[in-house]
Amino acid sequence: MKKIKLFIGFLALLTSFQLAFAEVLKVGATPVPHAQILNFIVPMLKKEGVDLKIIQFTDYVTPNLALADKSIDADFMQHEPYLKKMNQDRGLNLVAIAKIHVEPLGLYSKKIKSIDELKNGANIAIPNDPSNGGRALILLHNHGIITLKDPNNLYATEFDIIKNPKKIKIRPLEAAMLAKSLNDVDAAVINGNYALQANLKAKDAIFVEGAESPYANVLVVRKGDENRPSIVKLKEALQSQEVRKFILDTYQGEIVPAF
């Protein structure tokens, strides 16, 4: 009995030692669903000697800048086309190392329930960042609202619209503001994470992206950190079967695993 107590005491001491010397890993994320998913894996990483600290951001630009200046160690809040464009525009050297989930983009409205109800000159808000803006325009093209010169151009802009029979007015807004704009516009193309934050469901959308979407959200690090042990543990945890089940159970199809 005494040996058992000593062994239990040793295990407790070892655990305390591991926690005391756990490597702190700071990861930037937008609140929903990214920070929620990261919160789920905190205990998993703790057992691996990694103390995960989640730094929440409400926009898409700041996390990458914070990662580049080493204020954080990784970020999880964007898809690869957005990362590629920001690397080009800002001269960053960030890399995607794991696909985690897809957040379907959708057209939402408080004023209409179908495309047929769109009036001439209606206002449609879209994300104002290049990749999500192009993504939104492709979605509108695919549903016949506009016609793009090249619907495969992920960075299409309003200047690439060659047909606009209803003379729709495109209003680029910061992605985080799109759900709040629904009272002021006829419809808005909203990113899945911001739709979730606003309690909008995919079933509430007039239409959403299909399974063909190439916009999986990715885990991003500085180039050269891909094989850093704590980063590898983070990647493995995010692509674990436990996380797959968490995404499926929690979001009920609003967000789907990409691994």
Side-chain angles (χ1 to χ4, degrees), residues 64 67 75 78-81 83-84 87 93-100 216-223 226 231 235:
N64 281 335
L67 179 56
D75 69 37
Q78 66 196 310
H79 51 65
E80 205 156 4
L83 173 65
K84 181 180 178 181
N87 272 337
N93 200 15
L94 308 178
V95 293
I97 61 169
K99 294 181 179 181
I100 310 302
N217 278 227
V218 289
L219 176 64
V220 176
V221 300
R222 289 182 295 275
K223 188 171 181 60
E226 299 95 321
I231 294 292
K235 173 184 174 180

Side-chain angles (χ1 to χ4, degrees), residues 11-38:
L11 287 179
L13 183 63
L14 181 61
T15 300
S16 298
F17 179 82
Q18 288 174 329
L19 293 179
F21 290 93
E23 179 182 348
V24 174
L25 192 68
K26 295 180 181 179
V27 180
T30 44
V32 180
H34 307 85
Q36 292 175 335
I37 295 171
L38 288 170

Side-chain angles (χ1 to χ4, degrees), residues 72-223:
I72 57 177
D73 301 295
D75 69 37
F76 174 39
M77 53 86 204
Q78 66 196 310
H79 51 65
E80 205 156 4
Y82 178 85
L83 173 65
K84 181 180 178 181
K85 184 66 174 173
M86 193 161 184
N87 272 337
Q88 290 173 347
D89 291 349
R90 301 275 183 151
L92 306 180
N93 200 15
L94 308 178
V95 293
I97 61 169
K99 294 181 179 181
I100 310 302
H101 69 270
V102 174
E103 302 167 5
L105 200 69
L107 181 73
Y108 295 84
S109 177
K110 289 186 176 180
K111 299 176 181 177
I112 63 171
K113 293 186 177 179
S114 73
I115 300 174
D116 297 335
E117 296 176 34
L118 269 177
K119 297 178 181 177
N120 288 339
N123 289 283
I124 296 182
I126 67 170
N128 67 357
D129 60 272
S131 59
N132 282 307
R135 180 184 180 187
L137 292 174
I138 291 169
L139 183 66
L140 296 178
H141 169 96
N142 289 342
H143 288 271
I145 295 175
I146 60 170
T147 300
L148 293 171
K149 181 168 55 180
D150 179 8
N152 295 312
N153 177 12
L154 301 184
Y155 303 105
T157 71
E158 299 97 297
F159 299 106
D160 295 306
I161 298 172
I162 56 174
K163 290 183 182 179
N164 187 356
K166 288 194 173 183
K167 294 181 170 50
I168 300 299
K169 296 173 184 173
I170 304 296
R171 292 184 55 185
L173 295 175
E174 186 180 343
M177 300 302 296
L178 288 165
K180 296 177 183 177
S181 77
L182 285 176
N183 290 325
D184 304 315
V185 297
D186 296 286
V189 180
I190 304 176
N191 298 69
N193 60 316
Y194 289 123
L196 278 172
Q197 282 180 238
N199 294 316
L200 297 170
K201 305 293 184 184
K203 63 181 179 60
D204 300 324
I206 296 171
F207 51 73
V208 296
E209 283 177 317
E212 75 281 356
S213 173
Y215 296 93
N217 278 227
V218 289
L219 176 64
V220 176
V221 300
R222 289 182 295 275
K223 188 171 181 60

